Amino acid sequence: MRKQLALSTIILLSSIVNAQEQDYVVSCSAKSLLFPKQVLSKDAKNLDISADHSEVAGDNYLLTGNAVINSAEYYLAADKINLQKATKTSKAHGNIKFQNAGIMLTSDSAVVKKQDSTFKQVKFHYPESKINGQAQKIVNNGKEQTFDSVSYTLCPVGNTDWVMKAAKITLNSKANKGIAENVTIELMGVPIFYYPHYEWKLKGRSSGSLAPTLTTFDDSHNDKNGYQIRIPYYFNIAPDRDFLLTLNHVSTRGEAIEGKYRQLFDNGRIEIEGHYLNKDKISKQKRWYVDSKLDLSLNDKTALNIISKRVSDKQYFKEISHDNTRETSLISSVDLAYKNKENNLSASIFAESEQLVGHNNDAEYTRAPEVFIHKKVVGLNGREVNFSIVSTQFKHKTKGTNETGTRTHAQATFTRDIKTSAYSLQPKFEISKTKYAMDDKTKKDRSIYSFGIDSKLFFERDTRLFGTGVTQTLTPRLAYNYTPYKNQNALPDFDSEKMSNTYKNLFSGKKYTGLDKISKVNDITFGLESDFIDQKTGETYLALKIAQAHYLDKKAGKNYSNIIAGADLTMGKFTFNNALEYDTQLSEVAKHHSALSYVSNARKFITLTQGDDGEQRSAGLYGAYPITQKVHAFAGINRSLSDSINNKKTIGVAYESCCWAIRVAQLKEITSNSKFDNVVKFEFVLKGLASSNSSLTARLEEDIPNYLSYLE
């Protein structure tokens, strides 16, 4: 009986969802049972028997009035129980309660045997899987279980907002097979889905339909309203292989076929996804998309990763799939990596190519290929030496206006970590040689070294903050970094960008990312960190940071860098985060970002943000509010204050119950030329089964900070 209906609640849709690794469960805190849970006997040989009246005739026992049989395997209670000891059979009548390790049920009459049991007019409940329902009859012959006129749900006991009904369900654990006849899914008493015949595996994955997806949108060609329906079907080919086939009907463009094949190996996996629209109704062109991935462990130290992404045109995501609309480029790559932890040796060969998508995107340099070798040597007392060499061939789509060639960079870094309870010292010395072999036959090189030391002092004291006992830590920080001047005007710039001024970057001794630009540095950086930590909970109430660099060699006429400061305050449900960059020369704030939040829970919160990145001022308002116990609204807006344009706007409403949920969200985002991508997505969830649009979850959590988008 244990394996019968738990039957994998994977019955029908749920089995498919589990195979797809898309658990999406609406849960409730109520833990209702059919009857109070009983403690089974610990005596494996004997039965515990009790009743108001008992009669014994040979090996037959007739128990009447609150009759109970309790064993190590099951609990049985009824108005009347006839126990036949010779055949180990119990016949029960009236107000039956039965419980074993997996199931609880009530019925009118029952015959319980070790290998063959029958229950009539049954209500059943599997507490672990939360399945509950009723059946006209349940028969378990030890090999096969059958349920006649059965209905079940994953709603709490007594709630039937949605149910699955079947004329008959047969489960064969030996054949690992389940069969259901005339299956209907009902929501609020209304049939919404029907299967005349369905078969599935009791263990493992099954083929079958997934929930369809519905989206509405404004077509970018003529701003005409359209809708999209995705109807997916899942094929369980083998334990290590599956295939998802989806019909994507786009009202303004036509029908596209989408397929995704996955296969597991002993040492890796492969995924191949492809979309194809034979003829676009508007452009009259073929539209397609291909995305394949291969992850393979060649041995315990070597791994191969291949990614190939291509699309027929730049507007495919916006016009056909209505997903991944934020993609600006598709990167295809091959990466062969070796890592030996015992010898602290690693190496890799990497190559990539780029396809631009969307409008007004500029191509970047691509590595084709890049060879990297790294060796770490660990000495005594925290001494460490890192040797590395990386050789990269850079290519660009516009060869005429962009230099191309091969850069080879060799570097040795010597460090030592000295740390006590009172202070820490981290000296570092770095020397490197960079050579450029350009495609125009010119050769260029650079040799350079750098030195730095980072030091901290650790202080702490007990004090009080807002009436709470806290431990305050105080960490003065002083760092010196030196890199001599090198004229690098003749060197190409493949991958360097100016680093933003952050607290961490001020202490790094670097001004640029990448390897092409290494700026002169002769700086002393002062910093101060302080945390106020709750003595009981260990939570940090207030975290403060401030730092500034002093240029020993003036830079652009300045003796000091901008001041970088940050403060993070948490007071119960309120949090305040602030980071700023203050220009001491102009006596003004150059950049800043602030966020104030009140978070009661994931369905009741509000967040205000305001910032200036030096180029654009922006503000954001995000929140969710419960209109009723089951209905909540959510919204998020990010507005550019510089040009009075809403960059992104998300608004929606959701209904949640213990059994099902529905959500609708409008997603509006500026793309290019002041045009907007405007999409409305619908999501429908049956508890324990599937979400009709699980991709909406990640999008909402990205657009609305603090919003837990899973419908629970």
Side-chain angles (χ1 to χ4, degrees):
M1 291 291 292
R2 297 180 184 179
K3 296 182 180 179
Q4 41 199 23
L5 198 15
L7 8 126
S8 60
T9 275
I10 45 184
I11 189 171
L12 308 180
L13 299 178
S14 56
S15 64
I16 304 165
V17 173
N18 290 338
Q20 291 276 324
E21 299 178 359
Q22 295 179 358
D23 293 333
Y24 204 98
V25 180
V26 180
S27 61
C28 288
S29 59
K31 297 182 179 179
S32 55
L33 301 171
L34 278 177
F35 53 86
K37 192 171 184 179
Q38 304 297 309
V39 178
L40 299 182
S41 173
K42 297 181 180 180
D43 190 340
K45 296 182 179 180
N46 300 307
L47 300 176
D48 293 335
I49 299 174
S50 64
D52 293 340
H53 304 282
S54 63
E55 299 179 13
V56 181
D59 286 339
N60 294 334
Y61 297 81
L62 179 60
L63 309 174
T64 57
N66 298 314
V68 175
I69 297 177
N70 195 4
S71 71
E73 295 183 354
Y74 67 86
Y75 166 90
L76 176 63
D79 292 338
K80 182 171 68 174
I81 300 177
N82 190 332
L83 174 61
Q84 299 174 359
K85 191 174 180 181
T87 60
K88 297 182 178 179
T89 301
S90 297
K91 295 181 180 179
H93 298 276
N95 298 314
I96 296 171
K97 297 178 182 178
F98 177 87
Q99 174 190 319
N100 63 18
I103 191 174
M104 304 176 73
L105 58 82
T106 63
S107 72
D108 291 343
S109 64
V111 178
V112 180
K113 299 181 182 179
K114 189 173 183 179
Q115 297 294 332
D116 190 1
S117 299
T118 301
F119 299 87
K120 294 181 179 180
Q121 302 303 322
V122 187
K123 291 182 179 180
F124 56 87
H125 181 208
Y126 290 83
E128 186 173 343
S129 63
K130 299 181 175 61
I131 303 172
N132 69 90
Q134 56 188 13
Q136 192 177 73
K137 183 170 70 172
I138 299 177
V139 177
N140 179 11
N141 62 14
K143 297 180 181 179
E144 192 173 80
Q145 300 86 43
T146 61
F147 299 75
D148 292 338
S149 300
V150 60
S151 65
Y152 80 92
T153 183
L154 278 87
C155 297
V157 173
N159 188 314
T160 56
D161 282 359
W162 74 262
V163 295
M164 297 184 72
K165 295 182 177 181
K168 186 175 183 179
I169 293 178
T170 303
L171 308 173
N172 190 315
S173 56
K174 186 176 182 180
N176 191 31
K177 185 178 181 180
I179 300 174
E181 304 291 346
N182 296 321
V183 181
T184 303
I185 300 177
E186 292 185 0
L187 177 64
M188 308 300 288
V190 179
I192 61 173
F193 209 82
Y194 174 74
Y195 275 101
H197 178 87
Y198 188 80
E199 297 184 9
W200 73 97
K201 293 182 179 180
L202 299 182
K203 293 183 179 180
R205 301 168 299 177
S206 303
S207 299
S209 296
L210 292 175
T213 298
L214 174 62
T215 301
T216 67
F217 58 87
D218 294 335
D219 195 281
S220 60
H221 176 73
N222 51 20
D223 292 329
K224 182 179 179 181
N225 292 331
Y227 65 89
Q228 176 191 53
I229 298 177
R230 274 194 173 100
I231 302 176
Y233 192 90
Y234 177 76
F235 294 90
N236 178 41
I237 302 172
D240 60 348
R241 283 166 285 169
D242 60 16
F243 180 71
L244 180 64
L245 178 66
T246 302
L247 173 63
N248 179 11
H249 171 72
V250 185
S251 63
T252 58
R253 301 285 177 165
E255 280 70 39
I257 297 295
E258 302 176 1
K260 186 173 184 179
Y261 173 81
R262 304 186 304 177
Q263 182 171 353
L264 294 175
F265 308 108
D266 292 338
N267 54 348
R269 63 183 296 161
I270 186 173
E271 292 185 9
I272 302 174
E273 181 176 359
H275 303 181
Y276 182 73
L277 173 61
N278 185 55
K279 188 176 182 180
D280 189 315
K281 290 180 180 179
I282 296 176
S283 68
K284 310 303 180 183
Q285 301 294 317
K286 295 180 180 180
R287 314 287 293 273
W288 53 266
Y289 169 64
V290 176
D291 181 4
S292 61
K293 302 181 183 71
L294 173 65
D295 296 309
L296 197 63
S297 296
L298 304 181
N299 53 50
D300 60 347
K301 298 181 179 65
T302 309
L304 175 65
N305 177 266
I306 300 176
I307 299 174
S308 178
K309 293 184 178 182
R310 282 293 181 269
V311 70
S312 59
D313 56 88
K314 292 183 176 182
Q315 293 300 301
Y316 180 86
F317 296 118
K318 182 176 176 58
E319 296 177 350
I320 307 300
S321 71
H322 296 283
D323 206 356
N324 300 326
T325 54
R326 297 180 181 180
E327 293 277 11
T328 58
S329 65
L330 300 179
I331 301 296
S332 299
S333 63
V334 178
D335 186 11
L336 179 64
Y338 171 85
K339 189 171 185 178
N340 190 327
K341 294 183 179 180
E342 297 176 356
N343 297 329
N344 292 320
L345 177 66
S346 60
S348 67
I349 301 175
F350 179 83
E352 65 181 354
S353 64
E354 178 188 36
Q355 181 187 14
L356 298 179
V357 295
H359 285 304
N360 302 328
N361 296 323
D362 296 326
E364 300 286 345
Y365 277 102
T366 55
R367 297 168 287 174
E370 178 177 272
V371 179
F372 172 76
I373 301 174
H374 175 263
K375 171 68 176 178
K376 180 170 71 173
V377 179
V378 180
L380 297 175
N381 300 322
R383 293 178 175 86
E384 189 175 290
V385 184
N386 287 271
F387 300 98
S388 65
I389 182 169
V390 55
S391 182
T392 309
Q393 182 181 9
F394 288 97
K395 293 185 177 181
H396 201 281
K397 289 184 177 295
T398 55
K399 297 181 180 179
T401 56
N402 292 275
E403 293 183 285
T404 58
T406 300
R407 181 188 69 198
T408 302
H409 179 85
Q411 179 174 297
T413 304
F414 304 83
T415 60
R416 185 181 181 186
D417 191 0
I418 305 169
K419 189 172 184 179
T420 70
S421 59
Y423 67 89
S424 71
L425 291 173
Q426 293 179 311
K428 179 176 70 173
F429 177 75
E430 190 172 274
I431 185 169
S432 64
K433 176 78 173 182
T434 310
K435 289 189 175 183
Y436 294 85
M438 307 305 293
D439 291 340
D440 61 5
K441 307 303 181 184
T442 60
K443 293 185 178 181
K444 306 166 186 178
D445 64 73
R446 175 193 63 203
S447 298
I448 201 166
Y449 71 90
S450 64
F451 168 78
I453 184 168
D454 192 355
S455 62
K456 295 180 181 180
L457 295 176
F458 305 117
F459 301 97
E460 67 175 47
R461 63 167 184 159
D462 293 336
T463 185
R464 300 189 70 80
L465 179 68
F466 308 120
T468 301
V470 297
T471 298
Q472 180 191 6
T473 64
L474 187 66
T475 308
R477 187 174 179 181
L478 178 66
Y480 173 72
N481 291 287
Y482 176 79
T483 302
Y485 171 77
K486 284 283 184 179
N487 189 333
Q488 303 169 62
N489 293 333
L491 301 182
D493 184 3
F494 293 130
D495 61 0
S496 289
E497 293 182 1
K498 192 171 183 179
M499 296 175 65
S500 59
N501 285 331
T502 64
Y503 184 87
K504 180 180 179 181
N505 289 344
L506 274 187
F507 289 93
S508 69
K510 297 182 182 297
K511 306 301 178 185
Y512 293 91
T513 62
L515 301 172
D516 295 312
K517 290 186 178 181
I518 299 179
S519 178
K520 176 186 177 181
V521 176
N522 188 16
D523 304 343
I524 296 177
T525 304
F526 306 89
L528 187 64
E529 306 169 21
S530 184
D531 291 343
F532 292 80
I533 305 170
D534 190 303
Q535 295 173 347
K536 294 182 179 180
T537 66
E539 296 180 355
T540 300
Y541 280 139
L542 179 63
L544 303 171
K545 288 183 178 181
I546 188 170
Q548 185 180 35
H550 173 50
Y551 304 138
L552 300 181
D553 298 325
K554 285 188 177 182
K555 296 182 180 179
K558 297 177 66 173
N559 291 323
Y560 294 92
S561 72
N562 292 346
I563 295 175
I564 305 300
D568 298 313
L569 174 66
T570 300
M571 295 180 61
K573 297 178 180 180
F574 287 93
T575 60
F576 174 72
N577 309 98
N578 187 58
L580 63 84
E581 179 180 339
Y582 183 78
D583 191 324
T584 55
Q585 193 172 32
L586 299 177
S587 298
E588 64 180 26
V589 176
K591 299 179 183 180
H592 73 277
H593 183 271
S594 302
L596 176 64
S597 298
Y598 170 83
V599 181
S600 177
N601 54 61
R603 299 289 184 262
K604 186 179 181 180
F605 69 90
I606 186 170
T607 299
L608 302 171
T609 66
Q610 200 272 334
D612 185 348
D613 62 6
E615 296 181 357
Q616 187 180 73
R617 295 180 298 111
S618 63
L621 174 62
Y622 313 94
Y625 190 80
I627 300 172
T628 68
Q629 186 177 7
K630 296 182 178 181
V631 178
H632 73 269
F634 55 89
I637 183 170
N638 179 276
R639 183 173 178 81
S640 170
L641 301 179
S642 301
D643 47 24
S644 300
I645 293 177
N646 293 332
N647 296 321
K648 289 191 298 184
K649 184 170 70 172
T650 302
I651 188 169
V653 64
Y655 170 86
E656 299 175 88
S657 76
C658 295
C659 303
W660 62 284
I662 189 169
R663 173 164 54 197
V664 59
Q666 181 189 40
L667 311 170
K668 191 174 183 179
E669 181 177 13
I670 192 168
T671 53
S672 60
N673 301 324
S674 298
K675 290 187 176 181
F676 288 87
D677 180 35
N678 189 14
V679 176
V680 177
K681 290 182 177 287
F682 300 87
E683 184 176 17
F684 179 64
V685 178
L686 291 181
K687 178 180 176 179
L689 299 184
S691 163
S692 66
N693 199 342
S694 57
S695 65
L696 182 59
T697 299
R699 176 70 181 268
L700 291 178
E701 289 189 350
E702 181 181 351
D703 289 353
I704 307 177
N706 296 321
Y707 181 56
L708 182 62
S709 59
Y710 285 101
L711 295 173
E712 295 183 344

